[in-house]
Amino acid sequence: DVQDEDSGETEALHASAPSLFSGLDFKHSAFLRELLGRLEWTTHEFETLAQRHGLFAGGCLETINEWAIETFDALLLEEDQGYQLDQTIAQDLIARL
């Protein structure tokens, strides 16, 4: 059954998300995985992405950056007329996907 196969793939993706970003909960891990699709996001795009994951943009910024400091000793996200990801950290994380 195709529907069962799709749900199995989705479950596998959900199960793997937290382990990819050890220390982040499922929602923030899924948010980060999608965030890594680009290095720059407008404020509106970032807020929309956060809402789609059931999160608040300000909380995402804080949670992701706290995690990045613990993991990489550096901020992953900078907020300045939108949001920019640190290219070096982002490439490291993308390599883990």
Side-chain angles (χ1 to χ4, degrees):
D1 181 315
V2 173
Q3 196 170 21
D4 288 342
E5 289 175 19
D6 288 346
S7 66
E9 289 175 17
T10 302
E11 287 173 18
L13 177 64
H14 291 313
S16 67
S19 63
L20 288 173
F21 309 122
S22 181
L24 285 178
D25 64 24
F26 171 75
K27 283 186 176 186
H28 286 92
S29 293
F31 172 83
L32 178 54
R33 185 181 184 101
E34 195 167 344
L35 190 69
L36 290 169
R38 300 198 324 246
L39 290 177
E40 294 188 18
W41 295 81
T42 67
T43 299
H44 177 73
E45 292 168 333
F46 189 86
E47 290 172 352
T48 300
L49 181 62
Q51 288 173 351
R52 196 164 59 236
H53 287 276
L55 299 165
F56 293 105
C60 286
L61 177 67
E62 184 177 325
T63 299
I64 298 291
N65 275 338
E66 285 177 4
W67 172 81
I69 289 169
E70 290 175 11
T71 307
F72 299 100
D73 200 29
L75 296 175
L76 173 58
L77 286 166
E78 293 287 338
E79 182 183 11
D80 180 28
Q81 297 179 340
Y83 295 83
Q84 298 79 36
L85 280 74
D86 178 278
Q87 187 172 359
T88 304
I89 295 173
Q91 288 174 343
D92 185 328
L93 294 171
I94 290 166
R96 299 179 188 193
L97 298 178

